[in-house]
Amino acid sequence: QRTRKINGMASRDPHPPVGPFTTNEEDQREAAKLKARLDQNRERERGEDSTTADDFGSVPRVQIDEGANKYVLIQARRRAGDAENFVISQRGASYHRNAAEPLIYQLESAGYDDIRVKGGGRIDRNDESKEIKIYGFSYSFGQPDHGISRSVVLSDARFQDYTVTTSNEGY
């Protein structure tokens, strides 16, 4: 296995990123803005209690594109309900925030609150071999508990016959 430097850190990555994207200062600023907006929403929502269960739409808990793509684990809550975890990976997402933003919008539109990006990494979905590999981390959001991501993926009937593995190695 080869070792390479990413932003001054050594990485042994069996699945190097597709394209030149890791992160940059602009992405870090935009991710910080996204986190700050979610924090502000949580503060504002603490004082509100007007939404009923009937107001909520449905958002799929698993949205993963085929191939090796950036992913995020997001936790959201329905008012007075338990937290739910969501996994999204998107082909073409240059940065983890690009994977997170569409799902955050879906969750907000469906009436979820207390939305938190728990971290990011990569998901490599291979439909031919029926394998899904969850690994790595996000410079902007940190490393999620890949075990939670694995459980969320396996809870989706489409992926119950897949072999789903996790690793904290790689980027």
Side-chain angles (χ1 to χ4, degrees):
Q1 239 181 25
R2 66 189 175 150
T3 300
R4 62 194 175 101
K5 295 275 188 178
I6 298 175
N7 289 348
M9 298 174 64
S11 174
R12 294 182 186 274
D13 186 355
H15 308 284
V18 177
F21 306 107
T22 55
T23 194
N24 61 31
E25 288 181 25
E26 178 185 356
D27 177 57
Q28 292 286 320
R29 282 191 304 276
E30 292 301 316
K33 284 183 198 176
L34 179 61
K35 288 189 253 185
R37 182 172 66 82
L38 293 174
D39 288 343
Q40 287 174 343
N41 288 349
R42 275 194 296 279
E43 288 298 318
R44 186 174 56 246
E45 290 160 354
R46 283 193 180 127
E48 299 174 5
D49 195 22
S50 60
T51 307
T52 67
D54 293 335
D55 294 334
F56 294 113
S58 177
V59 176
R61 292 184 61 207
V62 179
Q63 302 176 48
I64 53 177
D65 288 343
E66 188 171 6
N69 302 293
K70 295 195 177 181
Y71 98 95
V72 291
L73 172 64
I74 295 180
Q75 185 179 74
R77 184 177 309 274
R78 295 179 186 263
R79 281 191 213 275
D82 293 331
E84 297 178 47
N85 292 302
F86 298 83
V87 170
I88 185 168
S89 78
Q90 281 198 308
R91 182 179 296 117
S94 298
Y95 303 107
H96 289 95
R97 107 183 126 76
N98 300 128
E101 288 170 329
L103 178 56
I104 289 170
Y105 176 77
Q106 289 175 348
L107 292 167
E108 290 173 329
S109 296
Y112 283 83
D113 61 8
D114 196 17
I115 301 168
R116 299 170 190 257
V117 180
K118 303 302 279 185
R122 292 182 184 271
I123 291 183
D124 186 353
R125 173 180 153 198
N126 185 322
D127 291 339
E128 187 175 311
S129 65
K130 293 201 177 268
E131 292 180 316
I132 296 175
K133 298 173 185 170
I134 303 171
Y135 61 96
F137 64 95
S138 163
Y139 282 108
S140 297
F141 298 113
Q143 186 172 59
D145 182 334
H146 294 311
I148 293 173
S149 300
R150 180 180 185 273
S151 295
V152 173
V153 169
L154 286 172
S155 73
D156 188 309
R158 296 173 296 165
F159 303 115
Q160 288 179 350
D161 61 342
Y162 279 62
T163 299
V164 180
T165 58
T166 65
S167 171
N168 288 334
E169 299 300 314
Y171 169 77

